[in-house]
PDB file of all heavy atoms in Angstrom:
ATOM      1  N   VAL A  22     -34.428  44.565 107.227  1.00  0.00           N
ATOM      2  CA  VAL A  22     -35.329  45.528 107.846  1.00  0.00           C
ATOM      3  C   VAL A  22     -36.664  45.495 107.105  1.00  0.00           C
ATOM      4  O   VAL A  22     -36.706  45.398 105.887  1.00  0.00           O
ATOM      5  CB  VAL A  22     -34.693  46.943 107.782  1.00  0.00           C
ATOM      6  CG1 VAL A  22     -35.657  47.991 108.268  1.00  0.00           C
ATOM      7  CG2 VAL A  22     -33.396  46.980 108.575  1.00  0.00           C
ATOM      8  N   ASP A  23     -37.764  45.578 107.848  1.00  0.00           N
ATOM      9  CA  ASP A  23     -39.079  45.498 107.204  1.00  0.00           C
ATOM     10  C   ASP A  23     -39.415  46.790 106.455  1.00  0.00           C
ATOM     11  O   ASP A  23     -38.764  47.815 106.616  1.00  0.00           O
ATOM     12  CB  ASP A  23     -40.166  45.126 108.196  1.00  0.00           C
ATOM     13  CG  ASP A  23     -40.471  46.208 109.219  1.00  0.00           C
ATOM     14  OD1 ASP A  23     -39.822  47.271 109.208  1.00  0.00           O
ATOM     15  OD2 ASP A  23     -41.370  45.998 110.039  1.00  0.00           O
ATOM     16  N   ARG A  24     -40.445  46.704 105.637  1.00  0.00           N
ATOM     17  CA  ARG A  24     -40.838  47.782 104.731  1.00  0.00           C
ATOM     18  C   ARG A  24     -41.147  49.080 105.494  1.00  0.00           C
ATOM     19  O   ARG A  24     -40.743  50.160 105.081  1.00  0.00           O
ATOM     20  CB  ARG A  24     -42.061  47.307 103.938  1.00  0.00           C
ATOM     21  CG  ARG A  24     -42.530  48.242 102.902  1.00  0.00           C
ATOM     22  CD  ARG A  24     -43.675  47.558 102.110  1.00  0.00           C
ATOM     23  NE  ARG A  24     -44.355  48.534 101.324  1.00  0.00           N
ATOM     24  CZ  ARG A  24     -45.346  49.300 101.759  1.00  0.00           C
ATOM     25  NH1 ARG A  24     -45.781  49.180 102.981  1.00  0.00           N
ATOM     26  NH2 ARG A  24     -45.913  50.172 100.957  1.00  0.00           N
ATOM     27  N   ASP A  25     -41.871  48.980 106.592  1.00  0.00           N
ATOM     28  CA  ASP A  25     -42.226  50.171 107.365  1.00  0.00           C
ATOM     29  C   ASP A  25     -41.001  50.862 107.945  1.00  0.00           C
ATOM     30  O   ASP A  25     -40.950  52.095 108.004  1.00  0.00           O
ATOM     31  CB  ASP A  25     -43.210  49.817 108.482  1.00  0.00           C
ATOM     32  CG  ASP A  25     -44.581  49.430 107.948  1.00  0.00           C
ATOM     33  OD1 ASP A  25     -44.920  49.847 106.816  1.00  0.00           O
ATOM     34  OD2 ASP A  25     -45.311  48.694 108.654  1.00  0.00           O
ATOM     35  N   THR A  26     -40.024  50.084 108.365  1.00  0.00           N
ATOM     36  CA  THR A  26     -38.798  50.668 108.888  1.00  0.00           C
ATOM     37  C   THR A  26     -38.039  51.390 107.787  1.00  0.00           C
ATOM     38  O   THR A  26     -37.482  52.466 108.000  1.00  0.00           O
ATOM     39  CB  THR A  26     -37.913  49.586 109.546  1.00  0.00           C
ATOM     40  OG1 THR A  26     -38.674  48.950 110.573  1.00  0.00           O
ATOM     41  CG2 THR A  26     -36.647  50.185 110.138  1.00  0.00           C
ATOM     42  N   TRP A  27     -38.003  50.813 106.573  1.00  0.00           N
ATOM     43  CA  TRP A  27     -37.350  51.485 105.447  1.00  0.00           C
ATOM     44  C   TRP A  27     -38.051  52.804 105.130  1.00  0.00           C
ATOM     45  O   TRP A  27     -37.396  53.797 104.792  1.00  0.00           O
ATOM     46  CB  TRP A  27     -37.314  50.588 104.216  1.00  0.00           C
ATOM     47  CG  TRP A  27     -36.228  49.568 104.247  1.00  0.00           C
ATOM     48  CD1 TRP A  27     -36.369  48.221 104.292  1.00  0.00           C
ATOM     49  CD2 TRP A  27     -34.809  49.812 104.222  1.00  0.00           C
ATOM     50  NE1 TRP A  27     -35.141  47.611 104.301  1.00  0.00           N
ATOM     51  CE2 TRP A  27     -34.166  48.571 104.264  1.00  0.00           C
ATOM     52  CE3 TRP A  27     -34.030  50.973 104.183  1.00  0.00           C
ATOM     53  CZ2 TRP A  27     -32.784  48.428 104.256  1.00  0.00           C
ATOM     54  CZ3 TRP A  27     -32.647  50.840 104.178  1.00  0.00           C
ATOM     55  CH2 TRP A  27     -32.034  49.586 104.216  1.00  0.00           C
ATOM     56  N   ILE A  28     -39.369  52.838 105.248  1.00  0.00           N
ATOM     57  CA  ILE A  28     -40.101  54.089 105.021  1.00  0.00           C
ATOM     58  C   ILE A  28     -39.687  55.126 106.054  1.00  0.00           C
ATOM     59  O   ILE A  28     -39.447  56.298 105.718  1.00  0.00           O
ATOM     60  CB  ILE A  28     -41.628  53.844 105.035  1.00  0.00           C
ATOM     61  CG1 ILE A  28     -42.040  53.047 103.792  1.00  0.00           C
ATOM     62  CG2 ILE A  28     -42.399  55.162 105.114  1.00  0.00           C
ATOM     63  CD1 ILE A  28     -43.481  52.573 103.791  1.00  0.00           C
ATOM     64  N   GLU A  29     -39.588  54.713 107.316  1.00  0.00           N
ATOM     65  CA  GLU A  29     -39.143  55.630 108.368  1.00  0.00           C
ATOM     66  C   GLU A  29     -37.726  56.120 108.110  1.00  0.00           C
ATOM     67  O   GLU A  29     -37.432  57.310 108.290  1.00  0.00           O
ATOM     68  CB  GLU A  29     -39.217  54.951 109.737  1.00  0.00           C
ATOM     69  CG  GLU A  29     -40.613  54.778 110.251  1.00  0.00           C
ATOM     70  CD  GLU A  29     -40.648  54.120 111.623  1.00  0.00           C
ATOM     71  OE1 GLU A  29     -39.607  54.102 112.322  1.00  0.00           O
ATOM     72  OE2 GLU A  29     -41.725  53.623 111.994  1.00  0.00           O
ATOM     73  N   ILE A  30     -36.838  55.222 107.699  1.00  0.00           N
ATOM     74  CA  ILE A  30     -35.457  55.620 107.395  1.00  0.00           C
ATOM     75  C   ILE A  30     -35.449  56.656 106.281  1.00  0.00           C
ATOM     76  O   ILE A  30     -34.746  57.671 106.363  1.00  0.00           O
ATOM     77  CB  ILE A  30     -34.605  54.384 107.029  1.00  0.00           C
ATOM     78  CG1 ILE A  30     -34.370  53.503 108.257  1.00  0.00           C
ATOM     79  CG2 ILE A  30     -33.264  54.810 106.414  1.00  0.00           C
ATOM     80  CD1 ILE A  30     -33.757  52.139 107.956  1.00  0.00           C
ATOM     81  N   SER A  31     -36.258  56.432 105.234  1.00  0.00           N
ATOM     82  CA  SER A  31     -36.287  57.395 104.131  1.00  0.00           C
ATOM     83  C   SER A  31     -36.843  58.735 104.579  1.00  0.00           C
ATOM     84  O   SER A  31     -36.346  59.794 104.151  1.00  0.00           O
ATOM     85  CB  SER A  31     -37.077  56.843 102.937  1.00  0.00           C
ATOM     86  OG  SER A  31     -38.463  56.787 103.202  1.00  0.00           O
ATOM     87  N   ASP A  32     -37.840  58.731 105.444  1.00  0.00           N
ATOM     88  CA  ASP A  32     -38.401  59.987 105.950  1.00  0.00           C
ATOM     89  C   ASP A  32     -37.379  60.747 106.794  1.00  0.00           C
ATOM     90  O   ASP A  32     -37.151  61.941 106.587  1.00  0.00           O
ATOM     91  CB  ASP A  32     -39.654  59.728 106.793  1.00  0.00           C
ATOM     92  CG  ASP A  32     -40.872  59.323 105.975  1.00  0.00           C
ATOM     93  OD1 ASP A  32     -40.856  59.496 104.734  1.00  0.00           O
ATOM     94  OD2 ASP A  32     -41.837  58.823 106.592  1.00  0.00           O
ATOM     95  N   GLU A 129     -35.953  49.950  98.876  1.00  0.00           N
ATOM     96  CA  GLU A 129     -36.162  48.837  99.797  1.00  0.00           C
ATOM     97  C   GLU A 129     -37.579  48.829 100.379  1.00  0.00           C
ATOM     98  O   GLU A 129     -38.096  47.773 100.714  1.00  0.00           O
ATOM     99  CB  GLU A 129     -35.130  48.870 100.930  1.00  0.00           C
ATOM    100  CG  GLU A 129     -33.710  48.589 100.476  1.00  0.00           C
ATOM    101  CD  GLU A 129     -33.515  47.168  99.959  1.00  0.00           C
ATOM    102  OE1 GLU A 129     -34.171  46.231 100.478  1.00  0.00           O
ATOM    103  OE2 GLU A 129     -32.714  46.994  99.034  1.00  0.00           O
ATOM    104  N   ALA A 130     -38.195  50.012 100.476  1.00  0.00           N
ATOM    105  CA  ALA A 130     -39.560  50.103 100.996  1.00  0.00           C
ATOM    106  C   ALA A 130     -40.605  49.807  99.926  1.00  0.00           C
ATOM    107  O   ALA A 130     -41.795  49.875 100.190  1.00  0.00           O
ATOM    108  CB  ALA A 130     -39.802  51.499 101.575  1.00  0.00           C
TER     109      ALA A 130
END
Side-chain angles (χ1 to χ4, degrees):
V22 173
D23 69 358
R24 184 175 166 274
D25 291 336
T26 303
W27 280 115
I28 290 172
E29 287 181 18
I30 290 170
S31 71
D32 287 346
E129 292 294 326

